Amino acid sequence: MKFTHIYVEEKLKKDPAAARILARFPKAQVIYVRHYKDVFNRSHQSFMRQKAHQALILAKKEGQLIYEGAPVCQNFGNYYFYYTSCMMNCIFDCEYCYLQGMYPSGNIVLFVNLEDIFEEVRRLLTKHPVYLCISYDTDLLAVENMTGFVKAWCAFARQYEQLTVEIRTKSAAFDQIRQIEAPKNVILAWSVSPEVIARQYEHFAAPTEARLLSAKTAWTCGWRIRLCLEPLLYIQGWQDIYGALIRRIFEIVPPHAVTDMSVGEFRVSVQYLKTMRRQRPGSAVLFYPYTADRGVYHYDRKLSESMLSFVTEELKKYISKQQIYLWSEKEEIGE
């Protein structure tokens, strides 16, 4: 990661966490701003142009710190399902990513006040167990060498048996945390796509094989691992392509190493997709004729059911149906 420009909220001038991150980029031009939104939320920005030359914005997260899980996100059977955003945007550039429809800027915002987020989790834990996703709106493992946030979350999670943390990634950066002991209540989740899709649509993310090898290494080091086949994308020959992917997954990662797997079709809000199409007018994956239902675009019912059924049946050759979670009104396959 190379940032030529770093914006810093004025309130963080003497913040130790901000200072540690700035020290990693001694040649970057540092620009102090009143509030991160003065930069991030400006009108008439080009998401794609900024994505190609990202600036870093260091900020303090204020207001709501923890959010209830969105209906379009998989909760893996957890009733008390939440997520938090320590970072906005991602260093990868997946063409189908909803962030380009949700955010006005392609720059990265890093919230350095982790302890405030931890305190909010502690408050929730006094009421009930918490299942917390910390890497939905970004890829924290991919930037661990800059932030150290994954290590910090693992140290925090070890203190609370009622807390389960999921860290999702498309990186092959497990070596960044290999030296720490695996907490029993932290799940490392790799999103995995067929290599042809990864090459065409998941720009800058690690190759599929590298992700799987990283997941296998994590398991050998005692970590709980999850593999996520989402979003499933319709391409010519998709049955052969996804069938080959599943075979390759379990050639690399032993079936008994997998805690569980999630399967989900491409789905995005109607408003986000309109914005995404403006950002990428030449993207085949974004201009597919999706069906709109209750404010969400997805494949038509027949194609969706065909893809989801095929992939889950292939997975059941290796793992039990109880280990397969499907994004639907009834999440667990077979129920």
Side-chain angles (χ1 to χ4, degrees), residues 26 77 85-86 96 103 119 134 177 180 202 239 292 298 309 316 318-319 321-322:
S85 297
C86 309
Y96 53 77
Y103 294 146
E119 186 58 37
I134 66 170
I177 59 171
I180 69 174
E202 298 175 353
Q239 288 175 309
H298 52 79
S309 176
K316 284 160 65 175
Y318 301 93
I319 60 178
K321 68 178 184 180
Q322 288 77 23

Side-chain angles (χ1 to χ4, degrees), residues 33 64 79 117 135 138 189 207 236 247 273 275 285 308 312 316:
V33 297
Q64 187 171 2
Y79 184 78
I117 301 175
S135 196
T138 188
Q236 187 172 6
R247 289 192 296 274
L273 187 59
T275 303
V285 69
L308 294 170
T312 53
K316 284 160 65 175

Side-chain angles (χ1 to χ4, degrees), residues 78-250:
N78 293 277
Y79 184 78
Y80 296 110
F81 165 48
Y82 298 88
Y83 74 95
T84 189
S85 297
C86 309
M87 184 169 132
M88 297 166 64
N89 270 329
C90 179
I91 63 168
F92 301 144
D93 184 26
C94 298
E95 286 194 21
Y96 53 77
C97 181
Y98 65 91
L99 296 180
Q100 61 196 317
M102 184 168 73
Y103 294 146
S105 172
N107 293 322
I108 287 177
V109 178
L110 186 65
F111 296 111
V112 299
N113 56 319
L114 268 187
E115 185 54 47
D116 292 337
I117 301 175
F118 291 164
E119 186 58 37
E120 182 65 11
V121 177
R122 291 187 188 99
R123 186 188 67 79
L124 285 173
L125 287 168
T126 63
K127 300 178 178 180
H128 49 63
V130 172
Y131 177 85
L132 182 67
C133 297
I134 66 170
S135 196
Y136 262 159
D137 293 342
T138 188
D139 194 317
L140 286 182
L141 188 59
V143 296
E144 177 65 7
N145 63 339
M146 176 179 75
T147 69
F149 280 7
V150 173
K151 296 186 189 74
W153 273 106
C154 288
F156 177 75
R158 285 193 193 94
Q159 304 173 50
Y160 302 97
E161 293 182 359
Q162 293 288 84
L163 172 65
T164 301
V165 172
E166 187 213 64
I167 305 169
R168 193 166 296 202
T169 186
K170 288 180 183 171
S171 77
F174 172 70
D175 281 350
Q176 292 293 327
I177 59 171
R178 186 170 185 167
Q179 74 277 20
I180 69 174
E181 183 180 354
K184 295 180 181 179
N185 56 339
V186 172
I187 301 171
L188 296 181
W190 273 266
S191 295
V192 182
S193 301
E195 191 59 52
V196 63
I197 288 176
R199 287 197 306 269
Q200 186 170 354
Y201 297 125
E202 298 175 353
H203 311 298
F204 312 125
T208 300
E209 193 101 344
R211 298 180 214 176
L212 292 173
L213 290 170
S214 192
K216 180 181 180 180
T217 302
W219 168 70
T220 62
C221 292
W223 292 77
R224 296 171 64 189
I225 66 169
R226 167 177 294 148
L227 299 178
C228 307
L229 299 184
E230 50 180 324
L232 300 181
L233 295 180
Y234 173 76
I235 57 175
Q236 187 172 6
W238 66 268
Q239 288 175 309
D240 291 337
I241 289 169
Y242 277 99
L245 170 66
I246 292 167
R247 289 192 296 274
R248 187 58 180 152
I249 285 173
F250 293 108

